[in-house]
Structure formats: structure tokens, C-alpha cells
Amino acid sequence: MTDIAPPAPPVRIDSPTRRIAKEFLEDPVAVVGLALFILVALIAIAAPWIAPQNPYDLAQLNIMDSALPPGETSFGTDMTYWLGTDQQGRDMLSAIMYGLRISLMVALVSLALAITIGTIVGVSAAYFGGRLDSFIMRIVDLQLSFPAILIALILLALLGRGVDKVILALVIVQWAYYARTVRSSAIVERRKDYIDAARCLALSDRRIMFRHLLPNCVPPLIVVATVQIAQAIALEATLSFLGVGVPITEPSLGLLIANGYDYLLSGSYWISLFPGIALVVTIIAINLVGDRLRDVLNPRLQK
């Protein structure tokens, strides 16, 4: 009597989300970037509770503490300014925490609005094609032919300063990137059998576009969004540094750098240096995450 071999254990197939997370965590550099970005985001969210000082509350400022170097102690209290103070006597550590809030808020809100507009426009252009596709893509090509900073400067010169104005300018600058990305993916997906099957079932165009076509265009959209959020932060910082971005009452990292620019040659380097380091660390962390997501979500590089 022959022995019957036991059945082989079932092969476990990871879900796409689990596979992406597993491959992402295989790169220690990307993990460090993700950890840095999470840390920066948590600091920005918790700034009102963990900052040593509210840098925009005049009652907490002392003009005698202006331009103190890092590690100095306040004249009126025992508070230590670990990153020094600016010319108004604001604690630079607290100012950076509050500046991160403005920079990330502007970037994330503009990102959400630009993705929404670009996705709708891109999917519509790819699905309907024809003259609508040609018309939309010519607008996209025209906008992308101009530098983003130039378009943003023109818009803010017309609209004026303000957080809402900066967000609007960033949305107008960025939506074309998402529209082109989604359209490119949607054109490939539109030719596949499941779209023909959905049409044979007499599903509405809206349901086919957003329930069947759009979900298959998400991976490249995630990569572009990750890269664009870093560019949005850098662009907002540039606009604020040039004096056309956020107002003085709601300073971002770019405005903090601009405030200390005139003091660099006088020896007060810390007023611009530390906000600049915070800005660079934030952008590098996001780019590290975006580079790894690009590799993980690229089907040509999948194992």
C-alpha cells in the first residue's frame, strides 16, 4: 500500500497593497524618508501644543531678545532659545514649527484640489477623445510650456498676497500635470476588454469613468502627487521669499528665510539657516518617498 503524500500548503498571494508596502519597506533610505516626513507632519500638527512659544503672540515677545544666537537665554525669563531668535525676538524653533504648518497646509490643500480637477479633466479627455481630448491637451501643453514660477508670479501679482491666493495659484499651476498623467494611463486602460464589457452592460459613462477606469490609473497618479507636493512646498517657499506669497501674519518657511536674508552678512546666520534646513529636510524626505513609490508602482520593475 503506497503512502499518499499530504496536499501541498496553499500558496499565499499578497494583496497589491501588502505587496507595495513590503517592497517599499525593503529600501531603508525610503523608510528613513518616510519617517522624516511623518515626524515633520507630526511637529507641524502639534505645533500649538509643543512649541515653546507662540511666535505671533505679541504679549510673549520681548524686543530685548532680538537676534539672540542659538543657546542663549531670555532676558526676562529662564527660557532657552535653542535655535536663537529673529529680529523681532521670536523663538526660531517655535517659528519653524508654525511655519511648517503653513507650508504643509498650503501644499496639501492645493494638492487635493489640483488632483481633483486634473483627474476629472484627464479621465474625461481620455474616455471621450476626439475634439474634447484635443482641446484639453492643447490647453495642458500651453500651460506646461511656461515655467510654473512665472505663472504663479503673474497670478499673485493680479490676486494679491494671502494663503488662499497662494493655494489658488498652486492649483492653477499643478492641475495640468495630473490631467496629463491620468489621460496617458486612461487611454491605455480604455482599450481593454473590461471597458468594452462595461459598455455592453449599458453602464453610464460616469460609472465607467470613475468606478472602473479611474481606479486603474491611480498608481502613476500617486507617484506624480508625491513628487508634486515637494514641488508645491518649494514653489510656495520661493513665492514667499520673493514677497508675493503668504502674508507676514501667517509666515511659512520661505518667509522665515526671507526675514533673515538681510542679516546673513551681519553674523545672524541662524535666522535664515535653520528654516532653510527644515525646508530642505522636508523636501528631501518627500522626494525619497516619491522615488521609491515610482520604483514600486512601475510594472516594468516588478518582480
mmCIF file of all heavy atoms in Angstrom, residues 91-113:
data_model
loop_
_atom_site.group_PDB
_atom_site.id
_atom_site.type_symbol
_atom_site.label_atom_id
_atom_site.label_comp_id
_atom_site.label_asym_id
_atom_site.label_seq_id
_atom_site.Cartn_x
_atom_site.Cartn_y
_atom_site.Cartn_z
ATOM 1 N N ASP A 91 11.200 83.167 19.020
ATOM 2 C CA ASP A 91 11.958 81.926 19.119
ATOM 3 C C ASP A 91 11.943 81.226 17.765
ATOM 4 O O ASP A 91 10.878 80.904 17.225
ATOM 5 C CB ASP A 91 11.339 81.037 20.198
ATOM 6 C CG ASP A 91 12.021 79.684 20.286
ATOM 7 O OD1 ASP A 91 13.246 79.640 20.123
ATOM 8 O OD2 ASP A 91 11.318 78.676 20.505
ATOM 9 N N MET A 92 13.128 80.966 17.197
ATOM 10 C CA MET A 92 13.191 80.392 15.863
ATOM 11 C C MET A 92 12.673 78.964 15.832
ATOM 12 O O MET A 92 12.078 78.532 14.841
ATOM 13 C CB MET A 92 14.640 80.424 15.348
ATOM 14 C CG MET A 92 15.146 81.819 15.004
ATOM 15 S SD MET A 92 14.071 82.696 13.856
ATOM 16 C CE MET A 92 14.009 81.575 12.476
ATOM 17 N N LEU A 93 12.863 78.210 16.912
ATOM 18 C CA LEU A 93 12.332 76.851 16.951
ATOM 19 C C LEU A 93 10.812 76.866 16.852
ATOM 20 O O LEU A 93 10.219 76.097 16.078
ATOM 21 C CB LEU A 93 12.776 76.158 18.240
ATOM 22 C CG LEU A 93 12.252 74.733 18.462
ATOM 23 C CD1 LEU A 93 12.706 73.813 17.344
ATOM 24 C CD2 LEU A 93 12.702 74.194 19.820
ATOM 25 N N SER A 94 10.178 77.759 17.594
ATOM 26 C CA SER A 94 8.712 77.869 17.534
ATOM 27 C C SER A 94 8.264 78.394 16.178
ATOM 28 O O SER A 94 7.259 77.932 15.623
ATOM 29 C CB SER A 94 8.221 78.792 18.652
ATOM 30 O OG SER A 94 8.623 78.331 19.919
ATOM 31 N N ALA A 95 8.998 79.372 15.642
ATOM 32 C CA ALA A 95 8.624 79.937 14.341
ATOM 33 C C ALA A 95 8.703 78.881 13.246
ATOM 34 O O ALA A 95 7.859 78.843 12.338
ATOM 35 C CB ALA A 95 9.531 81.118 14.010
ATOM 36 N N ILE A 96 9.710 78.000 13.315
ATOM 37 C CA ILE A 96 9.831 76.932 12.314
ATOM 38 C C ILE A 96 8.669 75.954 12.437
ATOM 39 O O ILE A 96 8.116 75.504 11.425
ATOM 40 C CB ILE A 96 11.186 76.214 12.485
ATOM 41 C CG1 ILE A 96 12.318 77.137 12.059
ATOM 42 C CG2 ILE A 96 11.218 74.921 11.671
ATOM 43 C CD1 ILE A 96 13.694 76.597 12.361
ATOM 44 N N MET A 97 8.285 75.603 13.664
ATOM 45 C CA MET A 97 7.154 74.687 13.848
ATOM 46 C C MET A 97 5.879 75.272 13.258
ATOM 47 O O MET A 97 5.124 74.579 12.562
ATOM 48 C CB MET A 97 6.959 74.397 15.337
ATOM 49 C CG MET A 97 8.057 73.557 15.954
ATOM 50 S SD MET A 97 7.733 73.230 17.703
ATOM 51 C CE MET A 97 9.162 72.229 18.116
ATOM 52 N N TYR A 98 5.629 76.547 13.516
ATOM 53 C CA TYR A 98 4.431 77.187 12.959
ATOM 54 C C TYR A 98 4.570 77.385 11.457
ATOM 55 O O TYR A 98 3.577 77.312 10.723
ATOM 56 C CB TYR A 98 4.192 78.527 13.662
ATOM 57 C CG TYR A 98 3.452 78.417 14.958
ATOM 58 C CD1 TYR A 98 4.095 78.018 16.120
ATOM 59 C CD2 TYR A 98 2.095 78.703 15.030
ATOM 60 C CE1 TYR A 98 3.417 77.917 17.329
ATOM 61 C CE2 TYR A 98 1.400 78.608 16.227
ATOM 62 C CZ TYR A 98 2.063 78.214 17.375
ATOM 63 O OH TYR A 98 1.377 78.107 18.560
ATOM 64 N N GLY A 99 5.790 77.648 10.974
ATOM 65 C CA GLY A 99 5.999 77.792 9.534
ATOM 66 C C GLY A 99 5.748 76.501 8.791
ATOM 67 O O GLY A 99 5.235 76.512 7.661
ATOM 68 N N LEU A 100 6.110 75.379 9.400
ATOM 69 C CA LEU A 100 5.824 74.077 8.790
ATOM 70 C C LEU A 100 4.329 73.876 8.611
ATOM 71 O O LEU A 100 3.887 73.275 7.617
ATOM 72 C CB LEU A 100 6.407 72.955 9.643
ATOM 73 C CG LEU A 100 7.911 72.707 9.539
ATOM 74 C CD1 LEU A 100 8.363 71.720 10.606
ATOM 75 C CD2 LEU A 100 8.285 72.189 8.162
ATOM 76 N N ARG A 101 3.539 74.334 9.577
ATOM 77 C CA ARG A 101 2.078 74.197 9.468
ATOM 78 C C ARG A 101 1.552 74.883 8.221
ATOM 79 O O ARG A 101 0.771 74.325 7.456
ATOM 80 C CB ARG A 101 1.395 74.791 10.707
ATOM 81 C CG ARG A 101 1.552 73.982 11.967
ATOM 82 C CD ARG A 101 1.022 74.733 13.168
ATOM 83 N NE ARG A 101 -0.386 75.037 13.051
ATOM 84 C CZ ARG A 101 -1.370 74.203 13.414
ATOM 85 N NH1 ARG A 101 -1.076 73.024 13.918
ATOM 86 N NH2 ARG A 101 -2.632 74.552 13.290
ATOM 87 N N ILE A 102 2.010 76.120 8.000
ATOM 88 C CA ILE A 102 1.536 76.873 6.843
ATOM 89 C C ILE A 102 2.015 76.231 5.540
ATOM 90 O O ILE A 102 1.243 76.049 4.590
ATOM 91 C CB ILE A 102 2.013 78.331 6.924
ATOM 92 C CG1 ILE A 102 1.461 79.002 8.186
ATOM 93 C CG2 ILE A 102 1.573 79.102 5.688
ATOM 94 C CD1 ILE A 102 -0.037 79.102 8.237
ATOM 95 N N SER A 103 3.293 75.849 5.489
ATOM 96 C CA SER A 103 3.847 75.273 4.260
ATOM 97 C C SER A 103 3.149 73.975 3.888
ATOM 98 O O SER A 103 2.762 73.761 2.733
ATOM 99 C CB SER A 103 5.345 75.034 4.430
ATOM 100 O OG SER A 103 6.040 76.252 4.580
ATOM 101 N N LEU A 104 2.977 73.078 4.861
ATOM 102 C CA LEU A 104 2.334 71.794 4.578
ATOM 103 C C LEU A 104 0.849 71.971 4.280
ATOM 104 O O LEU A 104 0.296 71.286 3.421
ATOM 105 C CB LEU A 104 2.523 70.837 5.756
ATOM 106 C CG LEU A 104 3.949 70.323 5.970
ATOM 107 C CD1 LEU A 104 3.989 69.393 7.176
ATOM 108 C CD2 LEU A 104 4.463 69.594 4.740
ATOM 109 N N MET A 105 0.192 72.877 4.987
ATOM 110 C CA MET A 105 -1.230 73.094 4.744
ATOM 111 C C MET A 105 -1.470 73.610 3.330
ATOM 112 O O MET A 105 -2.357 73.124 2.609
ATOM 113 C CB MET A 105 -1.798 74.066 5.769
ATOM 114 C CG MET A 105 -3.309 74.281 5.682
ATOM 115 S SD MET A 105 -3.809 75.613 4.546
ATOM 116 C CE MET A 105 -3.195 77.050 5.450
ATOM 117 N N VAL A 106 -0.685 74.594 2.922
ATOM 118 C CA VAL A 106 -0.828 75.138 1.571
ATOM 119 C C VAL A 106 -0.565 74.062 0.525
ATOM 120 O O VAL A 106 -1.312 73.924 -0.453
ATOM 121 C CB VAL A 106 0.131 76.336 1.381
ATOM 122 C CG1 VAL A 106 0.202 76.742 -0.090
ATOM 123 C CG2 VAL A 106 -0.323 77.509 2.223
ATOM 124 N N ALA A 107 0.495 73.263 0.733
ATOM 125 C CA ALA A 107 0.842 72.230 -0.243
ATOM 126 C C ALA A 107 -0.222 71.140 -0.319
ATOM 127 O O ALA A 107 -0.607 70.712 -1.411
ATOM 128 C CB ALA A 107 2.193 71.617 0.112
ATOM 129 N N LEU A 108 -0.733 70.678 0.826
ATOM 130 C CA LEU A 108 -1.695 69.577 0.832
ATOM 131 C C LEU A 108 -3.053 70.012 0.282
ATOM 132 O O LEU A 108 -3.693 69.261 -0.466
ATOM 133 C CB LEU A 108 -1.843 69.025 2.251
ATOM 134 C CG LEU A 108 -0.614 68.291 2.797
ATOM 135 C CD1 LEU A 108 -0.838 67.890 4.255
ATOM 136 C CD2 LEU A 108 -0.295 67.061 1.959
ATOM 137 N N VAL A 109 -3.509 71.208 0.646
ATOM 138 C CA VAL A 109 -4.801 71.680 0.138
ATOM 139 C C VAL A 109 -4.733 71.895 -1.370
ATOM 140 O O VAL A 109 -5.638 71.483 -2.111
ATOM 141 C CB VAL A 109 -5.223 72.968 0.863
ATOM 142 C CG1 VAL A 109 -6.474 73.565 0.215
ATOM 143 C CG2 VAL A 109 -5.501 72.688 2.337
ATOM 144 N N SER A 110 -3.668 72.538 -1.827
ATOM 145 C CA SER A 110 -3.525 72.743 -3.272
ATOM 146 C C SER A 110 -3.375 71.415 -4.005
ATOM 147 O O SER A 110 -3.884 71.242 -5.116
ATOM 148 C CB SER A 110 -2.322 73.642 -3.560
ATOM 149 O OG SER A 110 -1.118 73.033 -3.138
ATOM 150 N N LEU A 111 -2.698 70.452 -3.373
ATOM 151 C CA LEU A 111 -2.557 69.125 -3.968
ATOM 152 C C LEU A 111 -3.913 68.446 -4.143
ATOM 153 O O LEU A 111 -4.213 67.906 -5.211
ATOM 154 C CB LEU A 111 -1.650 68.263 -3.094
ATOM 155 C CG LEU A 111 -1.499 66.795 -3.501
ATOM 156 C CD1 LEU A 111 -0.663 66.678 -4.759
ATOM 157 C CD2 LEU A 111 -0.877 65.982 -2.379
ATOM 158 N N ALA A 112 -4.744 68.497 -3.098
ATOM 159 C CA ALA A 112 -6.052 67.848 -3.167
ATOM 160 C C ALA A 112 -6.923 68.469 -4.251
ATOM 161 O O ALA A 112 -7.573 67.756 -5.036
ATOM 162 C CB ALA A 112 -6.743 67.935 -1.803
ATOM 163 N N LEU A 113 -6.935 69.792 -4.322
ATOM 164 C CA LEU A 113 -7.759 70.464 -5.332
ATOM 165 C C LEU A 113 -7.226 70.221 -6.746
ATOM 166 O O LEU A 113 -8.006 69.970 -7.679
ATOM 167 C CB LEU A 113 -7.807 71.969 -5.038
ATOM 168 C CG LEU A 113 -8.508 72.372 -3.736
ATOM 169 C CD1 LEU A 113 -8.386 73.869 -3.505
ATOM 170 C CD2 LEU A 113 -9.973 71.968 -3.771
#
